[in-house]
Amino acid sequence: GFSEKLQSEMEKIFENIHDPNTKATEKRVLTAKFTLAPDDDREFVQLDMDFTTKLAPVEGLSTRVLTEKDLATNTIGAYEFMSNQRGQTYIDDDGDLKADDGQPVDVIEKEMQKKNNVHQLKRGNE
């Protein structure tokens, strides 16, 4: 059982080392504790093995959140602010054009086009 538990704890450590959200150079520690408790006749010994693993903590993150209130519905919305200026678009790591809330601009334009088409249909029926 010792070698299986040791292997399991080592896997946790190596997963933690390769986690990009932890500091690469942070030390990881694996401590094995053996407790031996002999019986009165000194014939049998109870051997307990405990493992303590200290991993690198996940580094904290910081971001800006933009909030706004919809006066028509009296609801408050919040989203991560992705660009440098409100209403500004930006190009993400994949080269896609996105709005300041991270939504693809082409999706927003399609939704706006649908709303405009519905508006035009309503006006045509009046």
Side-chain angles (χ1 to χ4, degrees):
F2 172 77
S3 62
E4 286 134 8
K5 185 64 177 168
L6 179 62
Q7 178 68 29
S8 173
E9 295 301 310
M10 291 299 286
E11 286 175 9
K12 290 178 191 175
I13 290 172
F14 287 115
E15 284 180 26
N16 185 257
I17 288 171
H18 285 275
D19 183 344
N21 297 311
T22 62
K23 185 176 178 184
T25 58
E26 183 81 19
K27 291 181 180 179
R28 282 75 169 174
V29 178
L30 173 60
T31 304
K33 178 182 171 186
F34 298 92
T35 305
L36 294 93
D39 66 1
D40 290 336
D41 297 327
R42 301 171 197 257
E43 189 174 333
F44 290 99
V45 177
Q46 177 69 37
L47 174 59
D48 294 324
M49 295 173 272
D50 293 309
F51 294 85
T52 305
T53 304
K54 182 180 179 238
L55 303 175
V58 173
E59 294 180 329
L61 299 173
S62 180
T63 190
R64 293 175 66 194
V65 177
L66 183 62
T67 65
E68 55 192 13
K69 186 171 187 175
D70 184 337
L71 298 176
T73 62
N74 207 27
T75 58
I76 298 174
Y79 56 86
E80 184 175 12
F81 189 59
M82 303 295 286
S83 67
N84 291 326
Q85 184 174 350
R86 188 176 175 136
Q88 179 180 3
T89 59
Y90 70 98
I91 298 174
D92 70 4
D93 294 338
D94 296 327
D96 298 324
L97 186 61
K98 303 254 177 118
D100 62 4
D101 64 355
Q103 292 185 54
V105 170
D106 59 341
V107 172
I108 295 170
E109 289 174 345
K110 286 178 187 175
E111 289 297 318
M112 290 176 68
Q113 185 62 38
K114 283 181 189 176
K115 288 180 183 178
N116 287 340
N117 289 343
V118 169
H119 242 29
Q120 288 175 357
L121 287 174
K122 284 183 180 178
R123 274 193 257 154
N125 291 335
E126 293 176 355

